[in-house]
Amino acid sequence: MSKKKLIVKGVRLDGRKWNELRPIKIEGGVLPNADGSAYLEQGRNRIIVGVFGPRELHPKHLAKPHKAVLRCRYHMAPFSVDPRRSPAPSRRDTELSMVIRNALEPALFLERYPRASIDVFVEILQADGSTRCASITAASVALVDAGIPMRDLVAACSAGKIDSEVVLDLNDIEDKEGEADLPVAYMPKLGKVTLLQMDGMLSPEEFDKALNLALEGCNKIYELQREALKSRYVKQGEGRSAE
Amino acid sequence: MQRKGRGRLRLKRIVLPGEKIGVIEEFLLGEGTYEEEGVIRSQVLGEARLDLERKLAVVRPRTRTPIFPREGSKVVGEVGEVKRQTASVDIFKVDNRLITTPFTGIIHISSVSRGYTRYMSQVVRSGDIVRARVINTKNRIIQLSIMEPEYGVVYAFCSKCGALLELKRTRLSCPNCGRVERRKVSRLYGTEVLE
């Protein structure tokens, strides 16, 4: 088998160690026309998220009399991958939209806005693996930016298995060539998992290791989300004070 | 007499959604907080304030706050279809804040005035701008009232030539064609700022 090695002398193809995240940059409030927004870079991923609402839901028969409806749209730009991808929503896009919605919903107080809708638009400008996790991370920053009441932020991160080793935060090649991928979304302050998927095969021991690794990754990403929000809304040197 | 000297002691700190503020034994739940398993946490990004005298925990948001019409909200909107007993309103302003995607409300003939109104078209016309109060949100549509003097039409247009009508004492007259029309006029006719 002429498969390319993904880990050479303990170092991954992009130079990371097994438990290292890709470089991440998060910025809140990048779209003036949206109620809330965020931009995220994770390795070569580039994602922009716009949040609208709570607003009147159309068509009205979809509205729920006791709570708001969370609608998510995950979409990859035609130029986000090589070769060019059709801009029409694919089956994968539809499923990821659902996955993102399910991962965010437990964090929201939807019952505060009966009959309304909260719309989350996720646009993948450039894709390089684990985009569902990166989308959830960015979307939760955008939701806070929109001032929508939340139980906690949702941070998401993937772990997986490549060249028989459990590693953190898979990129595109590692996801495609590797043996397993385990995306996890997590509410760090409440200690609750809102998304757990697995693609490929892991032994029970490997699964435990990968899950714990992904949760650690989520905690690190949470700190970055926090930094991003604080740099937008908190003045320098402002913290705890007594009035 | 200890209380007098201490005044209102408050602690202030920036919190994110989910961050712990205290426990329910210590404080009452105020705006922007919620409780889970006995722990008081924040719902929003803002300043957590602990009022030690009133034993109240609140979070004052730093972000934008969602605009959502509730019972009692003062709203401004454009009148759409006027039927015999109802008029629909596209609400674009809620509690003095403009919104981009309108909410739809409805005025029923019974909440127009204390007296008898035969037809809705005697009190509002399509295209008018009305100021109203939300009286109910529990049914399919937001129900509005223009009963009180400060509510009612704030801008009306001539049904013949389309010009903005002028309020002269109790009558609305068209400066263009001289036509006189009737509405349920708000005390604030012509003063509402729309942008």
Side-chain angles (χ1 to χ4, degrees), chain A residues 35 54-56 109 112-115 144 146-147 149-152 189-190 192 226 233 238 241 243, chain B residues 10 12 14 16-19 34 36 41 43 45 49 62-64 66 68 70 101 103-104 138-139:
Chain A
D35 293 327
R55 59 183 180 182
E56 195 168 84
F109 292 92
R112 288 272 301 271
Y113 305 104
R115 272 183 260 278
V144 176
M150 290 171 86
R151 275 175 246 276
D152 196 354
K189 290 286 168 190
L190 301 178
K192 286 180 179 165
R226 209 186 149 78
Y233 287 107
E238 190 186 12
S241 68
E243 212 173 72
Chain B
R10 280 174 163 181
K12 205 174 95 176
I14 302 287
L16 261 69
E19 254 179 81
Y34 75 100
E36 187 153 311
R41 296 178 187 277
Q43 288 186 344
L45 190 160
R49 285 157 182 271
R62 274 284 175 93
T63 57
R64 143 199 192 270
F68 194 70
R70 307 243 179 232
T101 33
F103 286 93
T104 318
K138 291 183 181 73
N139 294 311

Side-chain angles (χ1 to χ4, degrees), chain B residues 134-147:
Chain B
V134 177
I135 50 171
N136 194 350
T137 57
K138 291 183 181 73
N139 294 311
R140 291 250 166 108
I141 201 156
I142 298 163
Q143 286 172 280
L144 305 169
S145 160
I146 54 170
M147 190 94 81

Side-chain angles (χ1 to χ4, degrees), chain B residues 42-55:
Chain B
S42 175
Q43 288 186 344
V44 289
L45 190 160
E47 288 165 25
R49 285 157 182 271
L50 299 175
D51 191 326
L52 299 182
E53 194 153 291
R54 285 159 63 209
K55 305 273 179 262

Side-chain angles (χ1 to χ4, degrees), chain A residues 16 20 22 35 46 63 80 85 94 107-108 113 133 136 174 212-213 222 224 229 232:
Chain A
R16 284 184 291 156
E20 211 176 321
R22 289 173 282 181
D35 293 327
R46 301 283 186 274
S80 63
R85 181 188 182 284
T94 313
L108 297 172
Y113 305 104
C133 291
I136 294 164
E174 291 172 337
N212 286 324
L213 193 59
Y222 174 73
L224 299 168
L229 285 164
R232 178 161 158 74

Side-chain angles (χ1 to χ4, degrees), chain B residues 12-192:
Chain B
K12 205 174 95 176
R13 141 175 108 96
I14 302 287
V15 289
L16 261 69
E19 254 179 81
K20 186 178 167 177
I21 300 168
V23 289
I24 47 168
E25 286 87 350
E26 293 178 289
F27 295 105
L28 295 166
L29 295 172
E31 279 282 299
T33 65
Y34 75 100
E35 177 255 327
E36 187 153 311
E37 290 171 2
V39 177
I40 303 171
R41 296 178 187 277
S42 175
Q43 288 186 344
V44 289
L45 190 160
E47 288 165 25
R49 285 157 182 271
L50 299 175
D51 191 326
L52 299 182
E53 194 153 291
R54 285 159 63 209
K55 305 273 179 262
L56 185 70
V58 291
V59 182
R60 191 187 287 175
R62 274 284 175 93
T63 57
R64 143 199 192 270
T65 48
I67 305 170
F68 194 70
R70 307 243 179 232
E71 215 175 291
S73 296
K74 290 167 186 167
V75 300
V76 181
E78 185 185 331
V79 177
E81 194 178 18
V82 179
K83 293 187 182 170
R84 244 174 106 108
Q85 299 211 335
T86 57
S88 73
V89 179
D90 280 348
I91 300 163
F92 56 78
K93 201 174 181 187
V94 178
D95 291 324
N96 272 321
R97 294 169 70 196
L98 286 166
I99 47 177
T100 40
T101 33
F103 286 93
T104 318
I106 205 158
I107 307 169
H108 188 257
I109 201 156
S110 62
S111 43
V112 165
S113 72
R114 282 180 213 291
Y116 175 69
T117 312
R118 186 178 276 272
Y119 299 117
M120 205 62 193
S121 55
Q122 295 176 333
V123 283
V124 289
R125 289 259 172 164
S126 191
D128 288 355
I129 306 297
V130 290
R131 194 169 180 276
R133 187 169 59 86
V134 177
I135 50 171
N136 194 350
T137 57
K138 291 183 181 73
N139 294 311
R140 291 250 166 108
I141 201 156
I142 298 163
Q143 286 172 280
L144 305 169
S145 160
I146 54 170
M147 190 94 81
E148 287 93 17
E150 64 260 48
Y151 302 112
V153 174
V154 285
Y155 292 103
F157 300 94
C158 178
S159 47
K160 205 171 180 184
C161 68
L164 180 65
L165 298 178
E166 284 173 357
L167 186 64
K168 294 208 170 129
R169 292 192 191 172
T170 56
R171 303 168 111 192
L172 288 166
S173 69
C174 179
N176 206 17
C177 63
R179 190 183 158 88
V180 175
E181 297 202 11
R182 285 177 61 186
R183 296 285 196 281
K184 197 285 177 185
V185 174
S186 162
R187 188 159 52 82
L188 304 163
Y189 187 86
T191 61
E192 185 69 41

